[in-house]
Amino acid sequence: MADREKVFVYPKDVSAFGFDWGRLSLTVAPEVNGAERFSGGVVDLPPGKGHTRHNHPGAEEIIFVISGNGEQMVEDEKGNPVVAKVGPGCTIYVPESRFHSTLNTGDQPMQLFVVYSPAGPELALRDLPDFRLLPAGR
């Protein structure tokens, strides 16, 4: 039988990566519950905030907009930015190693669910200058 605490995980149950632009709570990851092929979690972006252009070398990403409205950029295969307005229910596919950025353009918080495959590229976020580890429950 599966360990209940590792199978059913809420963002409040795990420590979060805090940044000036928002937070990432990994709810699925090797270090959280032993996931081997992917990782994922909830991203919270306050109004007017977002993460800058970056990529995840060797990994694909799925971004699902839970709530809020924003502007998503994903570069095409030639490195040209492709920008679209996104809102609840939109799924964004970020091909392997592709540069992308997200900005909350609304007046309410924006919440996303992100998945990385393979797991691991999100750990590089710990090296950013504004990174801080937020304890579970915050």
Side-chain angles (χ1 to χ4, degrees), residues 68-134:
N69 293 286
E71 189 174 273
Q72 181 68 47
M73 185 281 291
V74 179
E75 290 185 355
D76 67 17
E77 61 280 350
K78 294 179 181 176
N80 300 309
V82 177
V83 180
K85 293 186 183 305
V86 296
C90 184
T91 300
I92 299 108
Y93 168 60
V94 181
E96 182 180 339
S97 304
R98 201 71 58 86
F99 282 91
H100 58 286
S101 63
T102 308
L103 175 66
N104 179 350
T105 58
D107 57 3
Q108 298 294 315
M110 186 176 194
Q111 191 170 64
L112 314 169
F113 189 81
V114 297
V115 177
Y116 307 95
S117 178
E122 68 285 353
L123 298 179
L125 295 170
R126 292 175 178 247
D127 296 331
L128 294 176
D130 64 338
F131 169 81
R132 59 196 175 279
L133 189 62
L134 305 174

Side-chain angles (χ1 to χ4, degrees), residues 62-73:
I62 297 168
I63 303 170
F64 179 79
V65 181
I66 297 170
S67 62
N69 293 286
E71 189 174 273
Q72 181 68 47
M73 185 281 291

